[in-house]
Amino acid sequence: MAKRQETEFPTKRQILEFIQKSQGSVGKREIARAFKIRGNDRTRLNDILRDLRASGDLARGRGRRFDNPGTLRKVAVIEITGLDKDGDPLARPANWDENAPPPTIYLQPNNTGVAPRIGDRVLARISPADDGTYSARTIKQLDSSTNNVLGVFKVVGESGRIIPTNRRIRSEFSVQAGSERGATPGDIVEAQTLGSRKYGLREARIVDVVASGSEPRAPSLIAIHTHGIPTKFSPRSIADAGAARSISLEGRTDLRGISLITIDGEDARDFDDAVWAEPDTDPRNIAGWHLVVAIADVAYYVKPDSPLDKDAYERGNSVYFPDQVVPMLPEALSSGMCSLLPGEDRGCLAVHMWIDASGILVRHEFLRGIMRSAARLTYEEVQRAKDNHPDEETTLPSHGIIENLYGAFEALKKARMQRGTMDFEIPERRIHIDQGGDVSGVDSIPRLDSHRLIEEFMINANVAAAETLEGRGAPCMFRIHDRPSLEKVESLRETLTSLGIKLARGQVIKPHVFQNILRKFKNTPQYYLVGTAVLRTQSQATYGPDNIGHFGLSLRRYAHFTSPIRRYSDLLVHRALIGALSLGNDGLQTQTGERFYEIAKHVSFTERRAVDAERDAADRFTAKYLANEVGAEFAGRINSVHRVGVFVTLEESRADGLVPMSLLGADRFEFNPRKQQIEGQATGKVYKMGNTIRVRLEEANTHTGSLAFSVVGQERNSRHGGEKPNRVKGNTHVTKHRRRRAKNRPKT
């Protein structure tokens, strides 16, 4: 009998390449047959497949089959997670359990006339795009949160009409006479769609008048309704918040002898963090610093499973609009007993931190205490004091408090630079609201060292919280940020290649790689282009009980601890610390720790919901303000190109809008997807991301928040030194949302 010829056992790379080149998913049987693996060698194959899946190189497909990571089936259930800057729904696979981050899915318009909301699940047909993302078309909407539409009511002839506020819904709806429910022309209404019609407009029945057409708050009210932001507290929650009283010193550490101060935005109403620093006197820590960060003790007032806790969980976080705040906690707590008001005794959860001369956290200690804020300062006041230009009317704390804070900050900056943390200097939009609630100006937020100071103090307190909980084996709601996907890095590599920068394939991507790229383009016309491209490469930061580190901050462990008034995740971390360190009997309950996976998914969703709602409201307020500037010219920069045209960000106001293909100029323009640019067929004119451009405002839709521009000139700034753009002036009434965002920027 002839002896069977022995074959060499395949390597991991050979098995992986076979799966990658296969059409669709493959099973162990196909792999074994391809490499002639038999008998006991199948166990060895099992081990290799298990290792490949554990490392993230393989994904488990349907049944016992294997796919490439991120591979999606042609038909799958997806979940709407947010909206991109153009208002298009973003989605992810509904049940994603792989190690790799979920791929980005863009949901295309459907023909139902109703756009899905965040949280909706859709059965969709999915196809891959060239840039590593996916495109999906709705087959059937599942578990829809609503079949309602929000829009502006108007009267055409003798019949009513609803013009949707969602820019993706392009059809109007008719309203039968008698079903207006008191709506008058111009009102913002919520209506229920009544099914499809073969001819004519679809019908809808008005169910609620959201706001009067003349209501200044209409942009934020539209955002609240569109995204389903909860706005009403239960009567029991309001009663419990109103009954809250001061915390006694019993069982706590007295911190009132430390001159802790709060530093916030000019119009902030709640103050949940206070800071202090002094040189460390320990001879073993020469040139080191002793820091204290004290955070409002929200856990004392918001007990697990109480009405307050249930309402806070439902919201997940506060939502900041230019004209109002939808708080996570009732105002009696958020602006009252939980707010670290100057001169008032307040309960706190504080952390002492000792850092060395290079900003490295040497040790830390948490305690539950009573504090009294020595001063309530703004970022601008602190910065002017540092620059030796203090306001005469500003009362600054004595004993070198400001100098010590900046001394510790200089050390912390060294540690940040040593880690190679990414630091984006892309300006954010700021909207000014006057006393009557109308928009008085739109501009950019100045980035001050006082903002960076508070950011570094908060980051270190967050690290200390995560280290403490992880070290004690306690549940922790980590703030996690995964490394960028290979597809996104490849897209960035193509962008950088066009600028003469090589990003080598195969190198380990770390934050300092991106930071070095940004540094090369600092103070150059290409900085915005490169910064935007790097920003788009990053994964989305989320919450989770499993620690994978924070890529953007280059930290091995990180948790949100510093804002329990406005983030439920921070409240959970407070409870976990109280339980792990035996600081009281109101710590984290065992059953809550067991639900951390579920809770993490919920608070990640509410955060995305809040960000999307805030952006939508800002777009509408901006369009409302610029509606008076139709016909004016502005300097801008192309932030992306698309088949429909180029998207532009105005230099001064940071407003975004579209230049349609038809308004690019007197030429036939075509989109080149490979080069990611739009090219004129006769003139050879090219539009691509990062180009400076001068545009004329053609339309400002206040209800959808969309702006339309036409091209006046291209790249005048780079050739002629720039033209001064039309200024968009504002006043001192600045939104709390943008100030708070600046305080903890980047949004980590």
Side-chain angles (χ1 to χ4, degrees), residues 158-229:
E158 297 182 355
S159 63
R161 296 280 180 86
I162 294 175
I163 306 173
T165 57
N166 187 324
R167 69 186 70 173
R168 298 189 78 256
I169 303 177
R170 297 176 175 86
S171 61
E172 299 181 2
F173 295 82
S174 65
V175 179
Q176 292 184 345
S179 61
E180 300 92 346
R181 294 183 65 87
T184 58
D187 286 350
I188 308 298
V189 300
E190 184 176 5
Q192 182 180 34
T193 60
L194 300 177
S196 60
R197 295 181 59 180
K198 190 171 183 180
Y199 302 104
L201 298 177
R202 295 187 64 194
E203 293 183 359
R205 176 176 59 85
I206 294 176
V207 296
D208 186 29
V209 177
V210 175
S212 166
S214 59
E215 168 64 66
R217 297 186 305 160
S220 57
L221 294 175
I222 290 172
I224 288 169
H225 271 72
T226 300
H227 295 276
I229 307 293

Side-chain angles (χ1 to χ4, degrees), residues 695-706:
V695 294
R696 179 185 296 111
L697 180 61
E698 301 292 346
E699 179 185 355
N701 190 318
T702 60
H703 299 304
T704 64
S706 57

Side-chain angles (χ1 to χ4, degrees), residues 4 16 175 227 263 269 294 299 420 490 501 526 697:
R4 180 174 65 88
L16 185 59
V175 179
H227 295 276
I263 305 175
R269 291 185 299 168
E490 182 59 34
I501 299 294
Q526 292 83 19
L697 180 61

Side-chain angles (χ1 to χ4, degrees), residues 360-380:
I360 303 299
L361 186 60
V362 177
R363 61 188 178 96
H364 49 77
E365 176 186 342
F366 283 88
L367 56 87
R368 219 167 180 184
I370 295 289
M371 63 156 287
R372 183 184 297 159
S373 173
R376 175 270 197 268
L377 300 177
T378 68
Y379 294 114
E380 291 77 11

Side-chain angles (χ1 to χ4, degrees), residues 404-667:
N404 285 342
L405 289 175
Y406 274 94
F409 169 56
E410 290 300 321
L412 292 171
K413 279 201 305 184
K414 295 177 184 177
R416 184 184 184 96
M417 292 181 64
Q418 182 63 33
R419 296 198 312 269
T421 302
M422 289 184 291
D423 192 5
F424 297 104
E425 292 291 344
I426 298 176
E428 290 189 64
R429 179 172 35 173
R430 175 176 57 182
I431 297 172
H432 303 259
I433 303 294
D434 63 22
Q435 298 287 3
D438 290 318
V439 186
S440 59
V442 182
D443 61 13
S444 300
I445 297 175
R447 179 84 161 133
L448 306 174
D449 270 350
S450 54
H451 291 111
R452 297 182 178 93
L453 183 155
I454 290 298
E455 176 185 319
E456 290 302 320
F457 272 65
M458 297 305 115
I459 286 175
N460 275 267
N462 289 335
V463 169
E467 284 186 356
T468 298
L469 292 175
E470 189 176 66
R472 291 178 175 262
C476 181
M477 186 61 71
F478 291 100
R479 180 63 166 176
I480 54 179
H481 183 222
D482 206 351
R483 64 181 62 252
S485 66
L486 295 177
E487 292 82 7
K488 288 186 176 181
V489 172
E490 182 59 34
S491 178
L492 175 64
R493 181 179 288 110
E494 294 177 359
T495 300
L496 295 176
T497 299
S498 67
L499 297 172
I501 299 294
K502 291 184 178 180
L503 183 61
R505 285 185 170 87
Q507 69 171 308
V508 177
I509 298 297
K510 294 184 177 181
H512 72 82
V513 174
F514 296 119
Q515 188 61 28
N516 290 339
I517 293 170
L518 293 171
R519 192 176 295 115
K520 288 180 181 179
F521 288 93
K522 190 73 172 177
N523 300 321
T524 70
Q526 292 83 19
Y527 180 79
Y528 180 86
L529 162 64
V530 176
T532 302
V534 169
L535 189 61
R536 289 176 177 174
T537 304
Q538 306 310 306
S539 301
Q540 186 176 50
T542 59
Y543 295 101
D546 294 332
N547 180 28
I548 65 170
H550 195 293
F551 178 82
L553 293 175
S554 193
L555 292 169
R556 295 176 60 187
R557 56 190 65 82
Y558 192 66
H560 275 167
F561 157 76
T562 54
S563 295
I565 287 179
R566 62 188 181 97
R567 292 191 303 229
Y568 194 80
S569 60
D570 301 49
L571 176 57
L572 292 174
V573 171
H574 276 230
R575 289 174 179 167
L577 287 167
I578 291 168
L581 301 175
S582 301
L583 298 177
N585 58 8
D586 49 355
L588 189 71
Q589 297 177 326
T590 302
Q591 59 268 33
T592 303
E594 294 172 349
R595 293 179 51 237
F596 262 28
Y597 285 100
E598 172 191 343
I599 296 173
K601 182 178 180 181
H602 173 73
V603 294
S604 296
F605 158 72
T606 60
E607 180 190 47
R608 291 193 301 270
R609 179 180 66 183
V611 170
D612 291 337
E614 290 166 355
R615 183 184 60 225
D616 285 358
D619 285 345
R620 290 185 174 92
F621 276 112
T622 302
K624 183 178 180 180
Y625 182 75
L626 292 178
N628 297 322
E629 301 289 333
V630 171
E633 296 181 10
F634 301 89
R637 192 176 296 274
I638 297 175
N639 63 59
S640 64
V641 294
H642 196 269
R643 288 180 176 83
V644 299
V646 301
F647 291 93
V648 176
T649 299
L650 301 187
E651 292 284 8
E652 185 148 332
S653 68
R654 315 308 303 169
D656 294 319
L658 170 69
V659 182
M661 282 284 199
S662 59
L663 297 181
L664 285 174
D667 198 348

